[in-house]
Amino acid sequence: MGGSIVKNLEYRSKQEANKIILSGFTYPYGNIIAAGVKSGKIPYSGRSGRGGTSLYIQALQRYAQERMNISDEKKSLSIAFAIAATQKKEGMPTRRVIDFLRLAREPTGLKMP
């Protein structure tokens, strides 16, 4: 969660005649982040009543606590379930994230104050 993929990204470039060849190396889960996860592969089937004991929900709760600065256990667990439900419906990244990234890439997409 601290940007370790970006910080530890290694790359090599090689120039050949009319082209440049780039090779990149990162953590294995970098491919999952880059390619995304289809909704059918999201390990969530709805609230089971077990209270967030799955590793997936625990990881999402930790994400809410660390990245969103949510210290309240109940609130971070609620956020974890909301994220899981959205990812189960839309996959990961979600459509909202994809739309934001697409907008950010457009030269006129985001207006800075």
Side-chain angles (χ1 to χ4, degrees):
M1 281 191 244
S4 58
I5 285 188
V6 174
K7 289 176 188 171
N8 294 301
L9 180 66
E10 293 181 31
Y11 67 92
R12 294 186 180 96
S13 62
K14 180 180 176 184
Q15 186 166 356
E16 292 183 1
N18 297 338
K19 60 184 174 183
I20 296 174
I21 300 171
L22 294 174
S23 301
F25 306 93
T26 188
Y27 291 110
Y29 64 90
N31 290 333
I32 295 168
I33 292 171
V37 179
K38 301 243 186 253
S39 61
K41 295 278 189 178
I42 299 292
Y44 177 72
S45 58
R47 291 182 184 252
S48 65
R50 295 186 334 195
T53 57
S54 82
L55 294 177
Y56 179 66
I57 294 298
Q58 289 174 9
L60 289 174
Q61 183 178 21
R62 196 167 51 255
Y63 173 83
Q65 291 167 340
E66 294 177 15
R67 292 296 281 245
M68 299 176 179
N69 203 24
I70 307 294
S71 58
D72 181 81
E73 289 286 320
K74 195 172 183 179
K75 186 172 183 179
S76 63
L77 185 60
S78 176
I79 290 169
F81 278 112
I83 292 170
T86 301
Q87 288 180 344
K88 185 63 179 178
K89 191 166 83 175
E90 300 179 8
M92 182 181 72
T94 62
R95 281 184 296 232
R96 194 168 171 185
V97 170
I98 291 168
D99 288 345
F100 174 78
L101 293 173
R102 186 177 301 124
L103 183 66
R105 285 188 200 124
E106 295 175 8
T108 59
L110 296 177
K111 306 228 184 308
M112 301 304 285

